[in-house]
mmCIF file of all heavy atoms in Angstrom:
data_model
loop_
_atom_site.group_PDB
_atom_site.id
_atom_site.type_symbol
_atom_site.label_atom_id
_atom_site.label_comp_id
_atom_site.label_asym_id
_atom_site.label_seq_id
_atom_site.Cartn_x
_atom_site.Cartn_y
_atom_site.Cartn_z
ATOM 1 N N SER K 82 -51.809 -31.024 45.614
ATOM 2 C CA SER K 82 -51.549 -32.388 45.184
ATOM 3 C C SER K 82 -52.603 -32.859 44.186
ATOM 4 O O SER K 82 -53.750 -32.409 44.199
ATOM 5 C CB SER K 82 -51.536 -33.331 46.395
ATOM 6 O OG SER K 82 -50.469 -33.009 47.262
ATOM 7 N N GLY K 83 -52.187 -33.772 43.322
ATOM 8 C CA GLY K 83 -53.080 -34.293 42.295
ATOM 9 C C GLY K 83 -52.317 -34.440 40.995
ATOM 10 O O GLY K 83 -51.083 -34.452 40.973
ATOM 11 N N VAL K 84 -53.047 -34.540 39.919
ATOM 12 C CA VAL K 84 -52.430 -34.691 38.603
ATOM 13 C C VAL K 84 -52.746 -33.456 37.765
ATOM 14 O O VAL K 84 -53.896 -33.018 37.707
ATOM 15 C CB VAL K 84 -52.925 -35.955 37.879
ATOM 16 C CG1 VAL K 84 -52.208 -36.109 36.533
ATOM 17 C CG2 VAL K 84 -52.707 -37.195 38.743
ATOM 18 N N TYR K 85 -51.719 -32.920 37.139
ATOM 19 C CA TYR K 85 -51.859 -31.758 36.274
ATOM 20 C C TYR K 85 -51.747 -32.205 34.825
ATOM 21 O O TYR K 85 -50.780 -32.856 34.431
ATOM 22 C CB TYR K 85 -50.796 -30.705 36.603
ATOM 23 C CG TYR K 85 -51.026 -30.063 37.947
ATOM 24 C CD1 TYR K 85 -50.640 -30.701 39.115
ATOM 25 C CD2 TYR K 85 -51.677 -28.844 38.048
ATOM 26 C CE1 TYR K 85 -50.885 -30.140 40.357
ATOM 27 C CE2 TYR K 85 -51.916 -28.258 39.287
ATOM 28 C CZ TYR K 85 -51.517 -28.911 40.435
ATOM 29 O OH TYR K 85 -51.776 -28.351 41.662
ATOM 30 N N PHE K 86 -52.765 -31.874 34.051
ATOM 31 C CA PHE K 86 -52.793 -32.216 32.634
ATOM 32 C C PHE K 86 -52.755 -30.951 31.788
ATOM 33 O O PHE K 86 -53.363 -29.939 32.135
ATOM 34 C CB PHE K 86 -54.089 -32.963 32.280
ATOM 35 C CG PHE K 86 -54.226 -34.332 32.878
ATOM 36 C CD1 PHE K 86 -55.037 -34.538 33.985
ATOM 37 C CD2 PHE K 86 -53.572 -35.420 32.322
ATOM 38 C CE1 PHE K 86 -55.190 -35.801 34.531
ATOM 39 C CE2 PHE K 86 -53.716 -36.686 32.864
ATOM 40 C CZ PHE K 86 -54.523 -36.877 33.975
ATOM 41 N N CYS K 87 -52.036 -31.029 30.670
ATOM 42 C CA CYS K 87 -52.230 -30.025 29.635
ATOM 43 C C CYS K 87 -52.900 -30.722 28.458
ATOM 44 O O CYS K 87 -52.812 -31.950 28.296
ATOM 45 C CB CYS K 87 -50.933 -29.353 29.212
ATOM 46 S SG CYS K 87 -49.760 -30.409 28.355
ATOM 47 N N ALA K 88 -53.612 -29.937 27.668
ATOM 48 C CA ALA K 88 -54.366 -30.501 26.559
ATOM 49 C C ALA K 88 -54.482 -29.477 25.451
ATOM 50 O O ALA K 88 -54.553 -28.269 25.699
ATOM 51 C CB ALA K 88 -55.759 -30.937 27.031
ATOM 52 N N GLY K 89 -54.519 -29.984 24.218
ATOM 53 C CA GLY K 89 -54.679 -29.114 23.067
ATOM 54 C C GLY K 89 -55.495 -29.804 21.999
ATOM 55 O O GLY K 89 -55.715 -31.023 22.069
ATOM 56 N N PRO K 90 -55.971 -29.070 21.016
ATOM 57 C CA PRO K 90 -56.794 -29.669 19.962
ATOM 58 C C PRO K 90 -55.947 -30.541 19.037
ATOM 59 O O PRO K 90 -54.790 -30.217 18.772
ATOM 60 C CB PRO K 90 -57.357 -28.462 19.224
ATOM 61 C CG PRO K 90 -56.346 -27.380 19.458
ATOM 62 C CD PRO K 90 -55.767 -27.631 20.815
ATOM 63 N N PRO K 91 -56.526 -31.627 18.511
ATOM 64 C CA PRO K 91 -55.776 -32.504 17.604
ATOM 65 C C PRO K 91 -55.410 -31.834 16.292
ATOM 66 O O PRO K 91 -54.458 -32.226 15.639
ATOM 67 C CB PRO K 91 -56.723 -33.691 17.396
ATOM 68 C CG PRO K 91 -58.076 -33.169 17.733
ATOM 69 C CD PRO K 91 -57.877 -32.119 18.777
ATOM 70 N N GLN K 92 -56.197 -30.852 15.911
ATOM 71 C CA GLN K 92 -55.843 -30.069 14.730
ATOM 72 C C GLN K 92 -56.462 -28.693 14.871
ATOM 73 O O GLN K 92 -57.385 -28.498 15.666
ATOM 74 C CB GLN K 92 -56.312 -30.738 13.424
ATOM 75 C CG GLN K 92 -57.788 -30.946 13.308
ATOM 76 C CD GLN K 92 -58.240 -32.282 13.828
ATOM 77 O OE1 GLN K 92 -57.448 -33.199 13.976
ATOM 78 N NE2 GLN K 92 -59.505 -32.393 14.158
ATOM 79 N N GLY K 93 -55.945 -27.742 14.120
ATOM 80 C CA GLY K 93 -56.418 -26.386 14.234
ATOM 81 C C GLY K 93 -57.913 -26.271 14.003
ATOM 82 O O GLY K 93 -58.466 -26.934 13.138
ATOM 83 N N GLY K 94 -58.565 -25.464 14.801
ATOM 84 C CA GLY K 94 -59.987 -25.219 14.646
ATOM 85 C C GLY K 94 -60.869 -26.219 15.362
ATOM 86 O O GLY K 94 -62.076 -26.012 15.465
ATOM 87 N N SER K 95 -60.274 -27.296 15.877
ATOM 88 C CA SER K 95 -61.072 -28.288 16.588
ATOM 89 C C SER K 95 -61.265 -27.854 18.031
ATOM 90 O O SER K 95 -60.375 -27.252 18.632
ATOM 91 C CB SER K 95 -60.377 -29.641 16.542
ATOM 92 O OG SER K 95 -61.071 -30.582 17.347
ATOM 93 N N GLU K 96 -62.415 -28.162 18.585
ATOM 94 C CA GLU K 96 -62.673 -27.842 19.989
ATOM 95 C C GLU K 96 -62.469 -29.039 20.907
ATOM 96 O O GLU K 96 -62.498 -28.891 22.113
ATOM 97 C CB GLU K 96 -64.090 -27.282 20.148
ATOM 98 C CG GLU K 96 -64.254 -25.936 19.445
ATOM 99 C CD GLU K 96 -65.627 -25.340 19.637
ATOM 100 O OE1 GLU K 96 -66.030 -25.146 20.791
ATOM 101 O OE2 GLU K 96 -66.293 -25.076 18.624
ATOM 102 N N LYS K 97 -62.271 -30.228 20.343
ATOM 103 C CA LYS K 97 -61.998 -31.366 21.208
ATOM 104 C C LYS K 97 -60.537 -31.315 21.622
ATOM 105 O O LYS K 97 -59.735 -30.584 21.038
ATOM 106 C CB LYS K 97 -62.332 -32.676 20.505
ATOM 107 C CG LYS K 97 -61.668 -32.865 19.158
ATOM 108 C CD LYS K 97 -62.235 -34.104 18.481
ATOM 109 C CE LYS K 97 -61.590 -34.318 17.126
ATOM 110 N NZ LYS K 97 -62.150 -35.509 16.430
ATOM 111 N N LEU K 98 -60.185 -32.068 22.662
ATOM 112 C CA LEU K 98 -58.859 -31.964 23.263
ATOM 113 C C LEU K 98 -58.141 -33.306 23.285
ATOM 114 O O LEU K 98 -58.751 -34.349 23.519
ATOM 115 C CB LEU K 98 -58.974 -31.440 24.694
ATOM 116 C CG LEU K 98 -59.490 -30.019 24.874
ATOM 117 C CD1 LEU K 98 -59.661 -29.696 26.354
ATOM 118 C CD2 LEU K 98 -58.560 -29.003 24.216
ATOM 119 N N VAL K 99 -56.831 -33.236 23.059
ATOM 120 C CA VAL K 99 -55.931 -34.365 23.265
ATOM 121 C C VAL K 99 -55.134 -34.052 24.528
ATOM 122 O O VAL K 99 -54.515 -32.978 24.626
ATOM 123 C CB VAL K 99 -54.986 -34.561 22.064
ATOM 124 C CG1 VAL K 99 -53.944 -35.621 22.377
ATOM 125 C CG2 VAL K 99 -55.787 -34.932 20.823
#
Side-chain angles (χ1 to χ4, degrees):
Chain K
S82 296
V84 183
Y85 291 80
F86 292 102
C87 67
Q92 60 269 342
S95 174
E96 294 182 57
K97 54 188 180 181
L98 295 175
V99 173

